[in-house]
Amino acid sequence: MKIIDGKLVSAKIKEELAVEVEKLAKHGIVPGLAVVIVGDDPASRTYVNSKESNAKKLGFYSVKHQLDETVTEDELLDLIENMNADPQIHGILVQLPLPDHIDSKKVLNSISVLKDVDGFHPENIGKMIIGDDAFLPCTPNGVMKLLEYENIDLRGKHAVIIGRSNIVGKPMATLLLEKDATVTVCHSKTQDLLKITNCADIIVAAVGIPNFVTAEMVKEGAIVIDVGINRVNGKLVGDVDFESVKDKASRITPVPGGVGPMTIAMLMYNTVESAKRKGGLI
Ligand code: GUN
């Protein structure tokens, strides 16, 4: 069994990005990333702080808007409109989930397609599905980069995704299909989950349930990618029962230090791409 080191791969990607940031500086361009967080969910705060500190480390212009839980939908939409028009901002990210009184779909729709570095805008999702150039959602794209760095040939392989969220499961299926994998998407209503996962060459766990994937669900030699970030008694655990699965898998991502750092690296990547595009450099 080999542990897939997401920290190492993300560090390499960020090194490459640092070079790109220097090149942009020669053209007078500084990549700008604006992150919006509403309320004070501790997990969201941790993610947003990490996005901000990574952006700063790479020399981006980084703005964080910490909004009160009581902010109105109109106030949030006004802020986004201003950022859409701000030439210093190349990427806008609104951390999800949003409070119930705000229509998340409306908010995501209002972000300029050209600044949608999260890849959540319906137009970017549509482009991704037909294989057109688009911002790709950071977590599934981060998983694809990990598989690429590991030199895993996906052609004809059976990839089983557990979870069908708009942020991970559905785009993950699209990206794996694009690389010629045979894809099965499982979810809470799936019958015979055990039988299906036992046919998988690659399992992507994105259910949000701690230690959900156990050794009996995994075929000998399978590659196991754990997208889960769950807090249990103050400790971060994935959706995969790492201790039991590691002896069956040929390769496995740890939590923390697997997919998580890749999500951030891909967000930085999308922001640099956006800045390059705006500057007419690609
Ligand atoms: N909430 C959980 N994951 C994400 C993400 O990748 N982006 C945003 N904006 N919110 C999230």
Side-chain angles (χ1 to χ4, degrees):
M1 182 273 306
K2 177 178 183 261
I3 292 180
I4 301 178
D5 189 344
K7 253 182 131 164
L8 185 79
V9 178
S10 67
K12 278 188 192 165
I13 291 173
K14 286 188 277 184
E15 267 174 39
E16 289 164 15
L17 287 176
V19 176
E20 296 298 308
V21 172
E22 270 183 38
K23 281 191 206 160
L24 280 167
K26 291 196 178 111
H27 292 87
I29 299 167
V30 179
L33 176 65
V35 179
V36 183
I37 175 170
V38 181
D40 51 13
D41 173 58
S44 287
R45 271 188 185 233
T46 308
Y47 299 145
V48 162
N49 288 341
S50 182
K51 288 166 187 178
E52 191 190 16
S53 73
N54 271 272
K56 283 190 173 148
K57 251 185 237 162
L58 274 170
F60 289 11
Y61 168 57
S62 170
V63 190
K64 182 170 84 173
H65 294 281
Q66 167 83 57
L67 307 179
D68 197 83
E69 180 85 26
T70 57
V71 72
T72 65
E73 188 178 283
D74 281 344
E75 283 167 333
L76 180 55
L77 292 173
D78 277 350
L79 173 65
I80 292 170
E81 201 179 310
N82 284 334
M83 294 190 297
N84 281 342
D86 184 342
Q88 278 186 290
I89 300 290
H90 302 100
I92 301 169
L93 178 151
V94 178
Q95 187 68 25
L96 301 178
L98 289 169
D100 289 343
H101 68 276
I102 295 175
D103 181 348
S104 300
K105 279 190 186 165
K106 200 166 166 187
V107 169
L108 295 179
N109 258 305
S110 76
I111 296 172
S112 161
V113 176
L114 298 172
K115 297 190 179 188
D116 170 41
V117 285
D118 244 340
F120 291 172
H121 191 287
E123 192 173 322
N124 277 320
I125 295 170
K127 283 182 173 170
M128 171 184 68
I129 287 175
I130 59 172
D132 269 7
D133 198 22
F135 288 121
L136 299 177
C138 302
T139 298
N141 197 27
V143 171
M144 296 307 289
K145 288 279 176 218
L146 271 186
L147 296 172
E148 194 184 310
Y149 269 80
E150 290 289 309
N151 283 318
I152 293 161
D153 183 5
L154 294 165
R155 263 179 309 171
K157 298 280 169 58
H158 188 191
V160 172
I161 301 161
I162 314 175
R164 56 169 156 180
S165 69
N166 288 336
I167 293 182
V168 183
K170 288 182 202 170
M172 192 75 250
T174 304
L175 297 179
L176 286 164
L177 195 56
E178 192 68 23
K179 293 287 177 202
D180 298 330
T182 300
V183 181
T184 304
V185 183
C186 299
H187 47 81
S188 55
K189 309 290 186 302
T190 296
Q191 292 177 2
D192 272 334
L193 180 64
L194 196 66
K195 200 164 131 196
I196 298 169
T197 59
N198 265 292
C199 296
D201 301 307
I202 298 147
I203 294 178
V204 180
V207 256
I209 302 172
N211 302 320
F212 182 82
V213 176
T214 53
E216 60 166 6
M217 295 168 73
V218 178
K219 183 173 80 173
E220 195 74 43
I223 294 163
V224 179
I225 306 291
D226 191 348
V227 179
I229 303 179
N230 310 288
R231 248 159 264 258
V232 178
N233 301 326
K235 210 175 142 225
L236 280 189
V237 292
D239 290 351
V240 176
D241 179 21
F242 186 87
E243 280 312 310
S244 74
V245 171
K246 75 176 181 355
D247 297 323
K248 260 182 140 179
S250 60
R251 290 182 240 205
I252 186 168
T253 63
V255 177
V259 175
M262 293 300 293
T263 297
I264 306 246
M266 298 327 292
L267 175 68
M268 302 300 129
Y269 175 86
N270 280 348
T271 307
V272 168
E273 287 295 293
S274 181
K276 279 195 211 167
R277 216 170 282 165
K278 172 90 189 310
L281 301 172
I282 43 172

